[in-house]
Amino acid sequence: MGWQERSLLIEVKNYAFLTRCYGTPFANAVEAELLERVGSLCGPRFTVKTLGGGKLGVVRLPTQAHTQEEAEACNEPAVQDVFVQGVLLGLAKWAERECGASSLALLNVNWVTDAALQQAAAASVEKQFSDSPWEQAQSYADMEIAADVYKAIGEDRLDLVFQPVFNTGDLNSILYNECLTRIRVGEGDETLSPGQFIPSLERLGVMRCLDRYVMRRAIALLEEHDDACLGVNISGQSAIDDVWWASIFAKLAETPSVAQRLTIEITETARIYPGAGRQFCHRMHQLGCHIAIDDFGAGFAMENGLDLHAPDIIKIDASILKRGIRGGVYSSFGDIVGTARERAARVVVEGIESLEELEFVRGAGVLWGQGNYVAKPVTSLRV
């Protein structure tokens, strides 16, 4: 039959069970977590792709020095067995150390031909997408974006930039710096902002891996800079007190001086799970962290803010400010500010982009603000 290049097919054998017992978002998160780690374990000579339905494909990248003889040597059974054992051992050690969702996965790993890998991908897509053509296209595009995000994490192309929450009366007084993510694309200066990839991750229910990664980065920065205070965005999907956060909870418990300088911002783009968000925030409060409701007045933020117990900070969405400015009155804007003040000790107005907006916020008696007029996101911490 002749020589054929082979690829690695990794299947979560209990994917249907995880979906049935824990829900599709959880099962998708298992797949995304495996995608991130397998890519890191295999290294730059391989590309790892999600095939959907709990399946991943690992394909060797062609190189100029990759002759047919070398390729055939790589496909020797003994060499392949060593490679598979290395991947499985790396996954096992990582799952044990990180307590991630993928530790619940039962894996089946096989070497297959490229044709068989394509058939597995087609079968997963056919089984997974029984919705309208638009929904099928959207889901496939979302998976591609999710794969790119976790590849960027593995290649250290995800950067943090910082934008301060400032005092509207004294612009040099800073409450904390919010950590914002950017993904570098290629060798140039092009970057992707959260609005270009967060919606896809939330539709797939795989935000928790990214949130946990950014949280670790922020904690490391707080350990390095003992005079810094940082805010980290956490999707409503991620606000669950469970094993996903075990290592982070332990780290914060060991370093109370870090926890006291960390603000957890619950974002508005996804609804929190009933009761889970309250428990998550209570746990973070116990550790010494501050809790903020982000983008209050838009999306699910109002609902999330009312569900969570005693947030320390409420950040009013920029759209509320814009509507107030257009109306020229404080009525609707003041109502939102009043509701926020009833719920939290500190109120922040987001999206201040002009002197007019800054003065409008000051006139409403709001002490804290955030926006490009005073400070755009920068790569260095301002403390």
Side-chain angles (χ1 to χ4, degrees), residues 92-104:
K93 289 182 177 179
W94 172 68
E96 180 181 357
R97 183 175 64 253
E98 301 294 339
C99 298
S102 63
S103 60
L104 299 178

Side-chain angles (χ1 to χ4, degrees), residues 226-254:
D226 57 12
D227 54 349
C229 295
L230 295 177
V232 175
N233 289 287
I234 298 295
S235 169
Q237 294 178 351
S238 302
I240 299 177
D241 181 2
D242 61 7
V243 294
W244 283 71
W245 293 102
S247 60
I248 294 220
F249 288 151
K251 180 66 176 178
L252 292 174
E254 293 170 0

Side-chain angles (χ1 to χ4, degrees), residues 317-325 333 349-351 357 360-361:
D317 186 69
S319 64
I320 306 300
L321 172 61
K322 309 307 179 188
R323 285 202 297 268
I325 288 286
F333 181 73
V349 175
E350 301 177 292
E357 292 179 350
F360 187 85
V361 170

Side-chain angles (χ1 to χ4, degrees), residues 166-171 321 330 333 341 349 352 355-367 373-374:
F166 55 80
N167 188 300
T168 57
D170 178 5
L171 303 183
L321 172 61
Y330 292 114
F333 181 73
R341 282 175 172 157
V349 175
I352 299 176
L355 177 59
E356 178 189 13
E357 292 179 350
L358 177 60
E359 292 177 342
F360 187 85
V361 170
R362 286 172 174 165
V366 180
L367 185 59
Y373 175 70
V374 174

Side-chain angles (χ1 to χ4, degrees), residues 208-266:
R208 295 169 117 190
C209 297
L210 175 62
D211 285 343
R212 189 174 54 187
Y213 173 81
V214 174
M215 180 76 82
R216 286 202 184 96
R217 291 275 300 271
I219 289 173
L221 284 170
L222 289 171
E223 289 182 307
E224 182 180 351
H225 303 280
D226 57 12
D227 54 349
C229 295
L230 295 177
V232 175
N233 289 287
I234 298 295
S235 169
Q237 294 178 351
S238 302
I240 299 177
D241 181 2
D242 61 7
V243 294
W244 283 71
W245 293 102
S247 60
I248 294 220
F249 288 151
K251 180 66 176 178
L252 292 174
E254 293 170 0
T255 53
S257 63
V258 168
Q260 292 163 9
R261 293 180 287 120
L262 179 63
T263 297
I264 311 298
E265 296 193 10
I266 309 296

Side-chain angles (χ1 to χ4, degrees), residues 60-71:
R60 193 190 314 274
L61 294 174
T63 63
Q64 290 182 347
H66 191 65
T67 65
Q68 179 169 323
E69 290 75 15
E70 291 171 337

Side-chain angles (χ1 to χ4, degrees), residues 25-325:
F26 183 88
N28 286 340
V30 170
E31 183 178 320
E33 200 171 327
L34 287 170
L35 179 71
E36 174 190 355
R37 190 55 185 175
V38 170
S40 176
L41 290 170
C42 292
R45 294 181 60 189
F46 295 84
T47 182
V48 183
K49 299 180 179 180
T50 178
L51 308 179
K55 297 178 182 179
L56 304 177
V58 181
V59 180
R60 193 190 314 274
L61 294 174
T63 63
Q64 290 182 347
H66 191 65
T67 65
Q68 179 169 323
E69 290 75 15
E70 291 171 337
E72 289 177 351
C74 290
N75 278 278
E76 288 293 329
V79 175
Q80 291 183 342
D81 287 345
V82 170
F83 181 81
V84 170
Q85 291 301 319
V87 171
L88 291 177
L89 181 60
L91 287 174
K93 289 182 177 179
W94 172 68
E96 180 181 357
R97 183 175 64 253
E98 301 294 339
C99 298
S102 63
S103 60
L104 299 178
L106 301 176
L107 298 181
N108 185 40
V109 182
N110 287 301
W111 289 98
V112 299
T113 64
D114 287 344
L117 191 69
Q118 293 173 6
Q119 289 175 359
S124 294
V125 171
E126 182 179 354
K127 181 178 180 181
Q128 186 171 358
F129 302 139
S130 57
D131 300 319
S132 69
W134 184 88
E135 290 171 323
Q136 294 175 19
Q138 181 66 63
S139 297
Y140 185 79
D142 286 343
M143 287 195 297
E144 289 293 311
I145 290 173
D148 289 342
V149 170
Y150 291 109
K151 182 179 180 183
I153 291 175
E155 296 175 352
D156 196 25
R157 289 188 289 107
L158 192 148
D159 297 326
L160 296 184
V161 295
F162 310 94
Q163 187 175 39
V165 173
F166 55 80
N167 188 300
T168 57
D170 178 5
L171 303 183
N172 291 315
S173 177
I174 296 174
L175 185 61
Y176 65 87
N177 283 281
E178 179 182 358
C179 298
L180 304 170
T181 55
R182 299 289 187 270
I183 292 178
R184 280 177 278 121
V185 179
E187 300 297 329
D189 297 329
E190 182 183 357
T191 60
L192 300 179
S193 61
Q196 294 173 278
F197 55 86
I198 294 296
S200 292
L201 298 183
E202 290 197 319
R203 280 193 292 266
L204 292 174
V206 295
M207 273 297 300
R208 295 169 117 190
C209 297
L210 175 62
D211 285 343
R212 189 174 54 187
Y213 173 81
V214 174
M215 180 76 82
R216 286 202 184 96
R217 291 275 300 271
I219 289 173
L221 284 170
L222 289 171
E223 289 182 307
E224 182 180 351
H225 303 280
D226 57 12
D227 54 349
C229 295
L230 295 177
V232 175
N233 289 287
I234 298 295
S235 169
Q237 294 178 351
S238 302
I240 299 177
D241 181 2
D242 61 7
V243 294
W244 283 71
W245 293 102
S247 60
I248 294 220
F249 288 151
K251 180 66 176 178
L252 292 174
E254 293 170 0
T255 53
S257 63
V258 168
Q260 292 163 9
R261 293 180 287 120
L262 179 63
T263 297
I264 311 298
E265 296 193 10
I266 309 296
T267 63
E268 97 295 352
T269 48
R271 182 183 286 111
I272 63 173
Y273 295 103
R278 180 182 293 264
Q279 184 176 349
F280 177 85
C281 291
H282 179 66
R283 180 69 176 274
M284 286 296 188
H285 265 152
Q286 286 182 318
L287 292 168
C289 301
H290 304 285
I291 301 296
I293 303 302
D294 200 9
D295 301 316
F296 192 74
F300 296 113
M302 181 75 79
E303 179 181 336
N304 287 347
L306 296 176
D307 182 71
L308 298 180
H309 177 66
D312 303 288
I313 301 165
I314 286 182
K315 302 179 72 177
I316 295 176
D317 186 69
S319 64
I320 306 300
L321 172 61
K322 309 307 179 188
R323 285 202 297 268
I325 288 286

